[in-house]
Amino acid sequence: MTRKRARVAVVGSLNMDVVVKANRVPKMGETVMGEAVHFIPGGKGANQAVAAAKLGARTVMIGAVGDDPFGQSLLESLQKSGVDLRGVKIVSGVATGIASILLTEKDNSIVVVAGANSRCLPEDVAAGRELLSDADVLLLQLEIPLETVLAAARTAKEMGKKVILNPAPARDLPDELYRLTDVITPNRSELEFLTGRPVEESGLESSMKELLDRGAGCVVTTLGEQGAAFLSPGGGFRRMKGYAVEVVDTTGAGDAFNAALACGLSEGMELPAAVDFAGRTAALAVTRLGAQDGMPQRKEVEDFAKRL
Ligand code: RIB
């Protein structure tokens, strides 16, 4: 049986990731020597767009880069993956967004300077209305101005599209945005930020329920190597196991997950199947260096499923 091709729109950020590998994170005031530096296309929005396109979705992106060499390489990376770039504008006199990423064996830490991402405005969403109308699912994150995220969510809902909000990096959100969101996908620390309390295993479900109570359609929490949990009014609370893999770089794991979730739902998968597909995609993504470079192709995700 041929599956329906996913149609995904992303309104979000594009960053050049300046990735430094080091043995450990320096203490405050300390200097440590790094092993290597890499310049790799990133940004939560662009990573999700590239991942969706590699999974076979017809993918369109709305965003902004500066008129500098980093901006050019970000556009090339999107184009190479087959993302429709008509909604990405080049802002003159402004630097492309940068993410300074410290990569250690255990995990990563990231500082983002928004640059041109802060010029991704509600009027760009209005100008890209036709592009959005061609998608089934809109994917949003929080590295662009909140009013743009809201404008995109409102537009998508008016058009009857599904809205997935990846609340990263975490910030306080207006209730309206919860109500416009079909699926919200915090990781554990984002869930803690949004609910204002630590999330212990026993309290996971009740923390997720708080986001449902604020109006989100359903909540999917990513839990790293422990998999994911999801909660919906119809389906209740469920856990999905994680996949044991050799971790090289966790940058973009959440982006891979969100993109795959969007593809799965757009293709008509039920939530549990889409969450499992997303978990497998994220597991493969962390076995390689680089956010966009590490995103797996559809066939790799399918072959990975057969190996399990
Ligand atoms: O989610 C990973 C991304 O977060 C990186 O690519 C970096 O650009 C930051 O935005």
Side-chain angles (χ1 to χ4, degrees), residues 147-168:
E147 65 263 29
T148 310
V149 174
L150 264 170
R154 282 186 199 121
T155 308
K157 282 322 278 180
E158 262 167 47
M159 292 177 177
K161 313 293 180 189
K162 211 179 259 298
V163 175
I164 299 180
L165 172 65
N166 174 212

Side-chain angles (χ1 to χ4, degrees), residues 133-179:
S133 73
D134 274 344
D136 303 312
V137 178
L138 170 67
L139 252 178
L140 296 165
Q141 328 72 32
L142 300 173
E143 286 185 334
I144 56 170
L146 190 57
E147 65 263 29
T148 310
V149 174
L150 264 170
R154 282 186 199 121
T155 308
K157 282 322 278 180
E158 262 167 47
M159 292 177 177
K161 313 293 180 189
K162 211 179 259 298
V163 175
I164 299 180
L165 172 65
N166 174 212
R171 54 176 295 175
D172 287 321
L173 301 174
D175 283 350
E176 183 192 0
L177 189 54
Y178 285 101
R179 291 194 296 270

Side-chain angles (χ1 to χ4, degrees), residues 2-127:
T2 50
R3 63 167 186 264
K4 168 184 176 287
R5 187 174 183 195
R7 301 185 311 161
V8 174
V10 180
V11 179
S13 58
L14 302 96
N15 296 327
M16 180 55 80
D17 290 353
V18 184
V19 183
V20 173
K21 282 178 97 172
N23 280 336
R24 62 179 177 84
V25 180
K27 291 189 218 102
M28 190 60 78
E30 186 195 18
T31 303
V32 297
M33 297 299 286
E35 286 168 23
V37 61
H38 303 271
F39 293 83
I40 309 178
K44 292 185 193 302
N47 295 346
Q48 294 180 14
V50 165
K54 285 188 168 179
L55 291 171
R58 206 169 81 196
T59 310
V60 62
M61 172 147 197
I62 293 176
V65 292
D67 60 344
D68 50 23
F70 282 167
Q72 274 313 314
S73 17
L74 296 185
L75 294 178
E76 279 160 25
S77 176
L78 288 180
Q79 199 157 31
K80 200 174 76 192
S81 308
V83 176
D84 182 338
L85 288 180
R86 281 174 295 160
V88 182
K89 69 178 181 187
I90 302 177
V91 189
S92 54
V94 178
T96 294
I98 293 276
S100 165
I101 303 184
L102 175 62
L103 193 64
T104 61
E105 214 174 286
K106 292 215 175 84
D107 212 337
N108 64 37
S109 45
I110 307 183
V111 178
V112 173
V113 180
N117 293 307
S118 62
R119 304 292 185 89
C120 178
L121 301 172
E123 66 210 44
D124 300 315
V125 173

Side-chain angles (χ1 to χ4, degrees), residues 135-280:
D136 303 312
V137 178
L138 170 67
L139 252 178
L140 296 165
Q141 328 72 32
L142 300 173
E143 286 185 334
I144 56 170
L146 190 57
E147 65 263 29
T148 310
V149 174
L150 264 170
R154 282 186 199 121
T155 308
K157 282 322 278 180
E158 262 167 47
M159 292 177 177
K161 313 293 180 189
K162 211 179 259 298
V163 175
I164 299 180
L165 172 65
N166 174 212
R171 54 176 295 175
D172 287 321
L173 301 174
D175 283 350
E176 183 192 0
L177 189 54
Y178 285 101
R179 291 194 296 270
L180 290 166
T181 298
D182 294 284
V183 188
I184 189 165
T185 59
N187 63 19
R188 193 187 288 270
S189 69
E190 289 149 5
L191 184 61
E192 289 182 342
F193 179 93
L194 294 173
T195 57
R197 59 187 157 98
V199 176
E200 305 300 339
E201 187 56 39
S202 59
L204 182 59
E205 181 177 349
S206 66
S207 291
M208 290 168 69
K209 168 113 183 359
E210 259 192 52
L211 306 193
L212 278 193
D213 293 343
R214 289 179 203 172
C218 66
V219 184
V220 177
T221 302
T222 53
L223 300 163
E225 58 195 17
Q226 286 149 21
F230 51 99
L231 178 68
S232 64
F237 178 75
R238 280 186 61 181
R239 289 294 298 256
M240 198 60 88
K241 70 174 184 335
Y243 294 98
V245 289
E246 206 141 303
V247 177
V248 172
D249 179 7
T250 54
T251 315
D255 300 328
F257 186 98
N258 277 276
L261 185 68
C263 288
L265 294 176
S266 174
E267 286 172 12
M269 288 180 201
E270 295 297 333
L271 186 64
V275 170
D276 186 51
F277 177 59
R280 283 186 269 129

